[in-house]
Amino acid sequence: MKLRIQEAIVVEGRYDKNAISQVVDTLILETAGFGIFKNPEQLALLGRAARTRGLIVLTDSDGAGFVIRNRIKSAVPPQFLKHAYIPDVYGKERRKARPGKEGKLGVEGMPPGVLEDVLRRANATILDENAPRPFAGPPISKADLCAAGLAGGPDSAQKRKILLKRLDLPEHLSANGLLAVLNHCYGPEEGRKLLE
């Protein structure tokens, strides 16, 4: 059973996101590796998620992971951040032909039990099944996005791009990504107003 946690989690990339999504039920955001240095909208999204629900930084344990972690630390006030650190384990991920530069496994290579342990050590706020959700009301659904013309229709990508720009969100955020942000950073009530 997945852990429901209050905080959002930021990881480096999509394979890390896939690995952590097997362990937790929360908003998971990506930095696109060093893309975080060139994308002020993504950094603003991390700041909003941090102020709304808290943010756990979970990057690889190599030098690049610490550079990314430090960029986030410099942009988000410390009272909204928690840091989870994976152990140094040498090897290579199954999908890769060779190990990384430092020869260490990244977040994507960690077993689910290790990921759960590092989140617990980072003092993630674990919600029980009966705890109220951070926002009241039924979550916004994909059907709501379709009804607003932001998914599944002609010009939906263009309309979504306009909304993303208005909200200072990354322009390449998918419909599913927008749905997650509306539900977890704005909440259903405010999110529905934004869809109008």
Side-chain angles (χ1 to χ4, degrees), residues 124-174:
T125 307
I126 299 170
L127 306 171
D128 67 17
E129 293 303 312
N130 300 320
R133 294 197 94 60
F135 295 105
I140 298 168
S141 69
K142 192 75 171 262
D144 294 323
L145 288 185
C146 290
L150 297 169
D155 301 325
S156 60
Q158 186 60 33
K159 290 175 183 174
R160 193 168 54 251
K161 196 172 187 177
I162 292 167
L163 177 62
L164 293 171
K165 185 163 183 62
R166 199 174 91 215
L167 298 177
D168 289 325
L169 293 172
E171 69 176 317
H172 298 293
L173 197 64
S174 67

